[in-house]
Amino acid sequence: MFFSIDADGDVPIYEQIVRQVKLAVADGILVGGQMVPSVRQLAGELAINSNTIARAYQELQSDRVLESLRGRGMIVRRDAIKRCTKARNSLVADGVRRALADALSGGMTAEELRELFEAELERQSAMAEQSKLASGNGAS
Amino acid sequence: MFFSIDADGDVPIYEQIVRQVKLAVADGILVGGQMVPSVRQLAGELAINSNTIARAYQELQSDRVLESLRGRGMIVRRDAIKRCTKARNSLVADGVRRALADALSGGMTAEELRELFEAELERQSAMAEQSKLASGNGAS
DNA sequence: AGTGGTGTACCATGACACGGGTACACCGAT
DNA sequence: ATCGGTGTACCCGTGTCATGGTACACCACT
């Protein structure tokens, strides 16, 4: 229910979990004090080994996003949103940086880049809006 | 002289070679019919095993960017620039797509995104211009 | 003919990441 | 005390990457 995993992709599964959890915290979907699904439950939902989930949670614990309550579960730290928004900014900045480096190194024009960026931004903004409306309809 | 390799990065070395060759062709630095350094020479310059270079060249041959002249070396195919510009467009489009997906999924505003994009574009454009001038001074 | 250059094809090795399996220590509720 | 749930620590199989070594077929040049 929470996350979408691409097991065939080149990015490790545990890293996808880490990224999506951080983005969810930055977006406000996951708030401080809230419990996250247990490793076995999430592993069952995603058809993934528990160890992979545990590894992701451990990394999130090292990054001070989650907090472990032994024997009970893991919760989102109250001050996690600060770090997560910061991490999100660094993440997209790095992505934009790399894409721009490739584009300019390949002789792409700044104007072509702006056009591509605006087109993609409009497309994904529309998609995000539509998905938001769909989830809103689910409650009616 | 030609390429810059980051052996400690997460991207494989042979893939870095492939990417940089394609971008160089797309930019016009490598033109059709031109010879590329031999596997042993490039391996010596970059302090990399010949097998790794050979693997990159094989992939470039599979992608119809290079052509093998047995016993002589490898040259850039005449029609490679078409494919390389196309590959470059796909590459940066994917990068922008992923960065935007992360940003919107993390609750980033479209305005913040535009600002970040423009700032990074200006910065890297300035750097590219400066490096171009530096290489121009080298011939004087 | 001989020599040195080229790409190509193997095989073996070591390091590392990833994912899966199993067992352990802890907690809360019955 | 017992049981079901939790996180956590280990071990192992697999695949990828880079490296090293060797050998082959081909070409250009002397």
Side-chain angles (χ1 to χ4, degrees), chain B residues 103-121:
Chain B
L104 296 179
S105 167
M108 207 178 208
T109 304
E111 215 44 49
E112 296 179 82
L113 260 173
R114 278 200 192 86
E115 190 175 351
L116 196 157
F117 173 81
E118 290 295 337
E120 205 59 41
L121 176 58

Side-chain angles (χ1 to χ4, degrees), chain B residues 15-79:
Chain B
E15 204 171 315
Q16 296 182 40
I17 307 276
V18 171
R19 195 169 49 87
Q20 293 189 34
V21 168
K22 285 186 181 175
L23 290 179
V25 173
D27 193 24
I29 298 178
L30 288 176
V31 298
Q34 184 174 354
M35 292 199 74
V36 294
S38 76
V39 286
R40 291 174 180 82
Q41 178 186 348
L42 190 55
E45 290 182 4
L46 300 178
I48 296 288
N49 193 275
S50 320
N51 253 327
T52 305
I53 312 289
R55 182 173 180 178
Y57 281 5
Q58 277 182 351
E59 186 160 330
L60 285 167
Q61 194 178 359
S62 295
D63 292 348
R64 298 174 163 275
V65 173
L66 296 185
E67 188 176 358
S68 170
L69 304 181
R70 300 203 57 163
R72 281 192 285 167
M74 305 195 77
I75 63 172
V76 181
R77 291 182 55 145
R78 296 263 162 64
D79 54 351

Side-chain angles (χ1 to χ4, degrees), chain A residues 6-125:
Chain A
D6 175 26
D8 297 333
D10 51 344
V11 283
I13 297 180
Y14 79 95
E15 205 171 314
Q16 297 182 40
I17 308 276
V18 171
R19 196 170 47 87
Q20 294 189 33
V21 168
K22 286 185 181 176
L23 291 179
V25 173
D27 193 24
I29 297 179
L30 288 176
V31 298
Q34 185 174 352
M35 291 201 76
V36 293
S38 77
V39 287
R40 289 174 179 81
Q41 177 186 347
L42 190 54
E45 291 182 4
L46 300 178
I48 295 289
N49 193 276
S50 319
N51 241 330
T52 305
I53 313 289
R55 183 171 181 178
Y57 281 4
Q58 276 182 351
E59 187 160 329
L60 286 167
Q61 194 178 359
S62 296
D63 292 347
R64 298 175 165 275
V65 174
L66 296 185
E67 189 175 358
S68 169
L69 304 180
R70 298 204 59 160
R72 281 192 286 169
M74 305 193 78
I75 64 172
V76 182
R77 291 183 54 145
R78 297 262 161 65
D79 54 352
I81 186 172
K82 229 188 320 172
R83 265 185 287 272
C84 285
T85 48
K86 203 167 180 177
R88 157 176 66 86
N89 291 346
S90 299
L91 186 67
V92 317
D94 274 14
V96 170
R97 216 184 314 271
R98 261 181 311 195
L100 259 70
D102 287 346
L104 297 179
S105 167
M108 206 177 209
T109 304
E111 214 44 48
E112 296 180 83
L113 260 173
R114 279 203 191 84
E115 191 174 351
L116 196 156
F117 173 80
E118 288 296 335
E120 205 59 42
L121 176 58
E122 185 176 7
R123 199 170 69 91
Q124 291 207 22
S125 292

